[in-house]
Amino acid sequence: METGGLSAASLANGDLGSQRERTLVPERLQKREHERQLEVERRKQKRQDQEVEGEKSDFFAAAFARERSAVEELLESGESVERLEEAAARLQGLQKLINDSVLFLAAYDLRQAQEVLARLQAALAKRRQELQPKKRFAFKTRKKDTASATQIDSAPDAPAAEGILTSPQPLKKEGDFDSSWVCGFSNLQSQVLEKRAEELHQQDVLLTQLRNCTIKLYGNPNTLRLTKAQGCTLLCGPVSTSVFLEDCSDCVLAVACQQLRVHTTKDTRIFLQVTSRAIMEDCTGIQFAPYTWRYPGIDKDFEGSGLDKNKNNWNDVDDFNWLARDVASPNWSVLPEEERRIQWD
């Protein structure tokens, strides 16, 4: 009797187990079907994204080629200031097109476009120089050269070496720097250095071998390079293309640009506005924060640079010495907000 009861109980438990298995089977099937549908949707979305990126790349290539041809034609037949100004306006449009396309363009295509733009900007500068009226020759009394720069607005209790310097003599060709680097400052220490918009417009600026200097660059340069600087503060208006920082230490920078490249630099704070990405290599102790420098006329300089003020990837940094994507690089960090309150003037 007891054995029969156990058998009945076993059969009952077996029926319940079968029922549970029958219930679980549809659930597993439903879960598997749901996962399959999600995978199908993911692949479909990926395909659509690739098609959209392809369409964007095709649009960029066509638009860039069209504007490039127009600029080249204007430069070749640019016998008037008006045609050169039209070429300059179209170049600004090309700059904006590149800036707006950074996120979907392949690295090679982006680099090629930037090189073409730089060549066209150089050609424009050359044509402008050719159209300038040549100065008539005349004998002039030679003035005594007191220094390589003019000294103004010195602080009353500061030594003469700490005045404000403007418009130094052109930099000498040195090292491996190309002769196109004709605007900037070199071999100075404990100085306040300035350049104005009319001096900087679309120039390639070189700052080298500076120590404990404050440099203020008002306006819109084409490129900017700071090398071999120590303990310096650099404030610069919007740079149309690239900013290069190399062999520097204990510096503070405020720069706006399309691309930033930092090499062999340490213990430096960078207040940055960048439309693509910052790239660093062989660096330590680099801190980033958003660009905050302001001066009268900066909005106009941003318009002339072609940079998008609403696009800033200041904390999107590629460290070539740190390839682990899931672990933050120890070579750079975000500057804490309480340390960003700097009085630039």
Side-chain angles (χ1 to χ4, degrees):
M1 194 66 184
E2 185 176 343
T3 303
L6 289 173
S7 299
S10 300
L11 289 173
N13 290 335
D15 291 340
L16 289 173
S18 299
Q19 289 176 1
R20 279 197 300 270
E21 287 181 4
R22 284 194 297 270
T23 303
L24 290 174
V25 167
E27 289 180 358
R28 286 198 296 268
L29 291 175
Q30 289 175 2
K31 183 179 179 181
R32 190 178 303 167
E33 177 63 18
H34 179 66
E35 291 174 349
R36 189 188 68 81
Q37 290 177 357
L38 288 177
E39 179 65 18
V40 169
E41 286 298 319
R42 188 187 65 79
R43 291 180 180 178
K44 181 180 177 182
Q45 186 62 46
K46 183 178 179 181
R47 219 168 26 245
Q48 290 175 346
D49 291 343
Q50 289 174 342
E51 291 173 357
V52 169
E53 287 190 4
E55 291 172 1
K56 287 181 178 179
S57 298
D58 292 343
F59 170 80
F60 171 84
F64 189 87
R66 183 174 61 250
E67 289 301 301
R68 173 184 179 178
S69 297
V71 171
E72 289 174 341
E73 183 178 347
L74 287 168
L75 292 177
E76 288 174 1
S77 60
E79 301 299 331
S80 67
V81 174
E82 290 76 14
R83 291 184 71 82
L84 291 187
E85 290 307 313
E86 182 182 349
R90 285 183 174 272
L91 280 177
Q92 289 181 8
L94 269 181
Q95 179 71 71
K96 188 175 187 306
L97 177 63
I98 292 174
N99 293 344
D100 292 342
S101 307
V102 163
L103 294 180
F104 63 81
L105 279 181
Y108 174 80
D109 294 334
L110 178 60
R111 186 168 62 253
Q112 291 292 105
Q114 290 172 337
E115 290 175 357
V116 169
L117 180 63
R119 286 199 299 269
L120 292 175
Q121 288 172 333
L124 174 62
K126 182 179 179 181
R127 294 293 291 139
R128 277 176 167 164
Q129 189 173 8
E130 291 172 352
L131 284 184
Q132 287 180 352
K134 295 181 179 176
K135 296 181 180 179
R136 296 178 61 186
F137 176 79
F139 290 101
K140 292 184 179 180
T141 303
R142 184 172 181 178
K143 296 181 180 179
K144 186 177 180 180
D145 184 12
T146 57
S148 64
T150 304
Q151 195 172 64
I152 60 173
D153 298 335
S154 297
D157 58 345
E162 293 182 0
I164 298 178
L165 301 183
T166 62
S167 304
Q169 294 177 345
L171 291 167
K172 297 179 180 179
K173 302 177 187 178
E174 59 177 358
D176 57 353
F177 297 124
D178 188 82
S179 59
S180 62
W181 299 96
V182 295
C183 180
F185 297 98
S186 176
N187 298 298
L188 294 169
Q189 67 178 26
S190 302
Q191 305 281 1
V192 179
L193 312 169
E194 288 188 358
K195 277 192 174 293
R196 294 291 169 174
E198 57 272 17
E199 300 176 89
L200 289 179
H201 184 66
Q202 288 303 301
Q203 293 289 321
D204 296 323
V205 180
L206 173 62
L207 309 170
T208 182
Q209 295 181 348
L210 303 176
R211 184 183 179 90
N212 299 325
C213 291
T214 296
I215 310 104
K216 297 182 180 181
L217 306 177
Y218 303 92
N220 167 218
N222 179 47
T223 61
L224 170 65
R225 183 166 188 162
L226 176 66
T227 179
K228 296 180 174 62
Q230 182 177 355
C232 292
T233 297
L234 168 61
L235 312 177
C236 185
V239 179
S240 292
T241 55
S242 298
V243 172
F244 303 90
L245 181 62
E246 189 173 27
D247 295 334
C248 298
S249 62
D250 301 302
C251 292
V252 177
L253 286 78
V255 292
C257 57
Q258 180 183 332
Q259 185 185 63
L260 172 71
R261 300 184 70 94
V262 187
H263 295 272
T264 54
T265 292
K266 63 180 183 179
D267 302 329
T268 291
R269 289 176 290 169
I270 303 175
F271 292 79
L272 179 63
Q273 172 103 19
V274 64
T275 55
S276 56
R277 299 168 75 95
I279 297 173
M280 53 183 282
E281 187 173 14
D282 299 328
C283 299
T284 58
I286 309 299
Q287 292 182 298
F288 291 94
Y291 182 79
T292 55
W293 191 43
R294 301 289 298 176
Y295 60 85
I298 191 172
D299 292 332
K300 182 179 178 182
D301 290 335
F302 262 105
E303 291 177 7
S305 71
L307 301 178
D308 185 354
K309 285 179 63 178
N310 298 317
K311 183 182 294 184
N312 190 3
N313 299 316
W314 63 272
N315 58 350
D316 192 359
V317 181
D318 282 338
D319 182 359
F320 284 1
N321 295 103
W322 190 261
L323 302 180
R325 292 292 182 183
D326 54 341
V327 180
S329 167
N331 300 318
W332 71 273
S333 61
V334 171
L335 185 67
E337 290 193 18
E338 61 271 16
E339 298 180 28
R340 300 178 190 176
R341 303 184 185 93
I342 294 180
Q343 296 295 327
W344 298 116
D345 297 325

